[in-house]
Each structure stands twice: as C-alpha cells, then as structure tokens.
Amino acid sequence: MEKLVIVGGGQAAIQCITSLRKDGYKGSITLIGEENHLPYQRPPLSKGFLSGITENKRLYFKSLEFFQENSVQLNLGVKANQIDRDNDLIHLSNNESISYDKLVIATGSRVRKLEFSGSKLNGIHYLRGIDDAQSLKENLTKSKNIVIVGAGYIGLEVAAVATEFDIKITVLEMADRVMSRTVDPIISDYYQTLHSKHGIEFILNESLEKIEGKEKVESVICSSGLSIPAELVVIGAGVLPNIELAEKSGLHCDNGIYVDAYGQTEDKKIYACGDCTNHPNERLNKRLRLESVHNAMEQSKTVSSSIMGNKIAYNQTPWFWSDQYDHKLQIVGISGEHDEVFVRGSLGASKFMLFYLKEQKLIAVDAVNNPKEFLICRKLVENQVKITSDDILNQSKDLNDLII
C-alpha cells in the first residue's frame, strides 16, 4: 500500500485529504501537525472567534471521527524536523521517523515577529493560532488602551472587534494609508473613515521604535518619539512562508517552495500546496506566492489530482476577502499593474466597486458590500474581458452581459 504523508494542519492539508479520499485514493495517509489541536480554520480567529460569536468547535474543519472513518493517522503536537530524501523518511521532533512514498508539504505561513526593545513584555500579542486568539480575547476584557501595530487586514479586523469592548484603540501604521499593499487609496480612505467613526485613532507614517514597561506593557514609543499609553499591543506585521523544512532538504525555495503547475517540486515524490508555495500562474504570466483560503483549497485539489495521476494545471484567478464590522471587502485579481481605475456604485451608500484596467482589459475588482455583482466580476476578471468606462459607470448595465 502506498504511504502518503502530509506535513501541516491547515486548509491546504485538509482539502488535500478530502479530495484524495473523494477521488478514491487507497493508500495510507498520515498527517503531521505541529499544534495539539485538530486542524482548524484561521480566518475567524480575527473576526467571529475573537468577538465570541464563533465557538471553538466551529473552527475545526473536521471532527476526530472524520479522520478515523477516512483512515487518516494523526500525528499532532510534533514537528517535522527534516526530510531524508535519500531514504524517503521524515524525522520528527519526538525522535521518531516516518517513511513515505509520496509527501505533501502544506506548512503554511507564520507571523513575522519584530525585534525591538521591550519585545518580551507581557501584553504583546501576535495573532495566528487558536491559543493566540484565546489569549488576546481574554486580555481585551482587562485592558483600557490597546495599540495595534499594522493597518493591514489582521490589524483592522482586530480593531473592529476591539470596538465591542470598553477600550481606547490606536492603530499605528508606517505607511501613509491603511491596507496600502493591496488596495487603491479610495478603499483605504473609505475604511479609515469607517474605523474613525467607530472611535479608532490612526497614527500614520509612524513606526514602532520600542515598548516600555516593567514586566507588562505600559506604553508604545514611536520612531518620532511619540508615546502612546497601552496595556495591550497587537502586532500585525505580515507573515512569512514556512519553507525551512523544504530548504533543509535541498528543495528549491525563493519566497516559497518552488512547484510546477501541478504542485510538484523538483523531487517527483514531493508536492507542496498553500501559503508556503511559489507557483506559476499562466493566466497572469508570472509566479506568485498567495496567502488565501481560495489558493490553499484550489492548489490542494491540483496536488490531489496529480497524486492520483490526473494532471490538471493550477491556473486560478486569485481572490480574497476581509470582514470589518458589517462591511465585506472582496477582491479578485491582482491590481498592481493597472493603468486605469473606475468606481461603480456609491461610496456614500456603502456599496461600491473599483474596476482596475490594464490596456482596457479588466484585471482586478475590489467590491465593498456587493457580493452579487462580485460573483459576476470574478468571471469577468478570469476572462480578462475588454470593458469600457461607460459599462462600469452605468449601473443599469447588467454585468452578466459582458461575460464571454
């Protein structure tokens, strides 16, 4: 019987298992997970779970019974330290070794931790796992001042939840606008205004210099010398791909584990999927490393098909989302290389979309509170349709008519 080992316990790992068993994979499957928890969803940690709406049990992808019924051996609470490619073995942190015929690396990503004076004080939080979110949730009820370092998705999602508590919230951002890496200034301004209306103070063009306190956080010192009182600090400085296991084994890595269009590394026995991969995208004519649920799910399906001997190239159009208050931001495509941008809808009515064009072709769309038209836009961006400003600005125009 073929032995398949999956390293990782996130979305990519679970989708790979689900797809393999659904497609009739008969080999044994072993999952190696560094955390003691059953594999769980991460997006709710900065949203529903942090606010108390989502219960712990709803975070888990599958019950223990699922793994038992599908003959999946769980090795939780252990780390894969090394891949012995010569002998097809994975050496674990508990001094055990597991043999494989095929291996899937789905190690995901980890938070980028900052080094600064005071970085070890109590009251400083990074948000990546259940334990992080649980600790932060408990401390939100005990604090009067919170400083959030970073105005990206995680920082702003945490800020939105924090407004439900009796707490003063300050967001510190080194760029000149919020979510600057991923959205147009129109979206940035809209969301900053939205948060400001909920009482959040923004300090832009400022970076974290140090945090002061005896044993616990007392104040955050900015690069300009500005001091902000705080008992609680949340740092959202982005994530890094977990590529060390692959690197140590000699696999090619550069901003992710290099895979081909079928999720296969240079070692034909080893595949990779999810946040940790650097993969080609024929549609965009470039290599990408993506941090999204959509990418983790779809790339895992590609890997599953490859393992089953049915090679289907991974060629998806990326899409993402963020929930802040009762606002849903949905993004499809990569907008960075656009040469025109148009707004459809009304910012005042909190329902609008930004259309990004390059040489008159639609390459990306940002939608705020417009899930219905966003579904249509996903197809339009996928097809890179040619579109005019009149089509975009005329709200009586049915976007369905533009689908090729």
Side-chain angles (χ1 to χ4, degrees):
M1 180 187 294
E2 183 174 83
K3 295 180 180 178
L4 172 70
V5 176
I6 300 175
V7 181
Q11 182 83 57
I14 294 306
Q15 184 61 59
C16 194
I17 291 170
T18 304
S19 296
L20 282 167
R21 288 306 192 211
K22 181 181 177 183
D23 293 342
Y25 182 73
K26 301 300 184 185
S28 71
I29 300 177
T30 299
L31 182 143
I32 300 169
E34 202 168 326
E35 296 185 66
N36 285 308
H37 302 285
L38 286 172
Y40 60 89
Q41 306 173 66
R42 295 190 189 277
L45 296 179
S46 58
K47 308 175 187 75
F49 180 76
L50 193 59
S51 68
I53 296 173
T54 303
E55 299 176 6
N56 289 50
K57 63 182 180 181
R58 289 181 57 199
L59 291 176
Y60 298 112
F61 291 112
K62 304 289 184 181
S63 66
L64 182 60
E65 288 72 27
F66 167 85
F67 297 101
Q68 294 169 340
E69 290 168 3
N70 286 277
S71 301
V72 177
Q73 175 67 44
L74 294 176
N75 276 29
L76 301 179
V78 294
K79 183 177 181 179
N81 282 338
Q82 189 173 356
I83 302 170
D84 179 352
R85 290 168 56 193
D86 292 332
N87 297 297
D88 299 338
L89 290 171
I90 301 172
H91 301 302
L92 306 179
S93 58
N94 61 3
N95 296 320
E96 294 181 2
S97 296
I98 297 178
S99 63
Y100 66 86
D101 295 304
K102 289 177 182 173
L103 171 64
V104 177
I105 303 174
T107 45
S109 54
R110 65 186 183 278
V111 293
R112 184 193 301 272
K113 294 199 172 180
L114 305 181
E115 290 295 327
F116 52 86
S117 176
S119 62
K120 306 301 182 187
L121 289 170
N122 292 327
I124 298 173
H125 293 263
Y126 293 86
L127 183 55
R128 187 62 180 167
I130 287 181
D131 296 336
D132 300 329
Q134 185 62 49
S135 177
L136 176 56
K137 186 195 299 188
E138 292 168 2
N139 280 292
L140 278 170
T141 63
K142 304 173 186 175
S143 305
K144 290 298 181 186
N145 297 280
I146 178 175
V147 173
I148 297 172
V149 180
Y153 296 132
I154 292 294
L156 294 183
E157 287 170 4
V158 170
V161 172
T163 60
E164 300 172 17
F165 299 81
D166 183 19
I167 191 168
K168 172 75 169 66
I169 306 161
T170 304
V171 175
L172 183 67
E173 170 57 49
M174 63 190 303
D176 60 356
R177 59 188 180 89
V178 308
M179 298 185 291
S180 61
R181 288 178 55 244
T182 54
V183 299
D184 185 88
I186 293 173
I187 300 281
S188 294
D189 291 346
Y190 178 84
Y191 271 87
Q192 183 176 339
T193 300
L194 173 66
H195 283 277
S196 296
K197 287 178 179 176
H198 283 81
I200 294 174
E201 179 183 351
F202 286 88
I203 300 176
L204 305 176
N205 297 302
E206 278 275 24
S207 58
L208 170 65
E209 182 68 23
K210 60 182 178 179
I211 296 179
E212 293 184 336
K214 292 180 180 178
E215 294 182 0
K216 194 176 185 303
V217 171
E218 295 177 10
S219 60
V220 173
I221 310 300
C222 303
S223 51
S224 66
L226 176 68
S227 178
I228 311 168
E231 298 85 45
L232 185 60
V233 175
V234 178
I235 298 178
V239 298
L240 299 169
N242 291 321
I243 60 174
E244 290 76 15
L245 181 66
E247 276 186 321
K248 282 195 294 185
S249 72
L251 294 173
H252 182 202
C253 297
D254 181 7
N255 185 32
I257 303 166
Y258 257 55
V259 296
D260 62 17
Y262 308 102
Q264 198 166 44
T265 69
E266 62 204 276
D267 186 323
K268 299 308 177 186
K269 296 179 180 179
I270 302 178
Y271 302 79
C273 49
D275 289 14
C276 64
T277 68
N278 183 315
H279 57 274
N281 186 296
E282 184 180 341
R283 193 181 301 278
L284 299 175
N285 195 31
K286 63 170 70 174
R287 295 191 70 92
L288 298 171
R289 189 181 71 78
L290 297 172
E291 301 152 13
S292 73
V293 170
H294 171 251
N295 175 66
M297 290 180 66
E298 297 304 322
Q299 196 177 32
S300 298
K301 293 175 185 176
T302 294
V303 165
S304 171
S305 294
S306 296
I307 290 171
M308 295 294 293
N310 181 25
K311 288 198 167 187
I312 303 172
Y314 180 66
N315 193 24
Q316 296 280 323
T317 300
W319 72 273
F320 319 84
W321 83 90
S322 175
D323 292 326
Q324 299 169 39
Y325 308 107
D326 56 350
H327 280 53
K328 180 174 285 292
L329 171 63
Q330 295 170 289
I331 297 172
V332 59
I334 306 294
S335 63
E337 298 178 355
H338 71 277
D339 50 38
E340 290 183 290
V341 59
F342 298 96
V343 179
R344 178 182 174 93
S346 167
L347 276 71
S350 297
K351 184 178 179 181
F352 63 97
M353 309 173 80
L354 266 64
F355 284 64
Y356 300 90
L357 277 60
K358 181 181 180 182
E359 298 174 356
Q360 297 182 314
K361 289 183 179 179
L362 186 64
I363 62 169
V365 172
D366 299 343
V368 175
N369 298 331
N370 198 346
K372 184 177 178 181
E373 284 197 321
F374 179 76
L375 284 175
I376 302 169
C377 289
R378 282 180 58 183
K379 296 176 183 176
L380 296 178
V381 172
E382 235 176 75
N383 295 332
Q384 290 193 343
V385 300
K386 281 205 167 186
I387 191 168
T388 67
S389 58
D390 288 342
D391 289 331
I392 297 168
L393 299 176
N394 180 5
Q395 291 190 71
S396 63
K397 174 74 174 182
D398 189 342
L399 296 178
N400 261 317
D401 294 342
L402 301 174
I403 295 177
I404 299 173

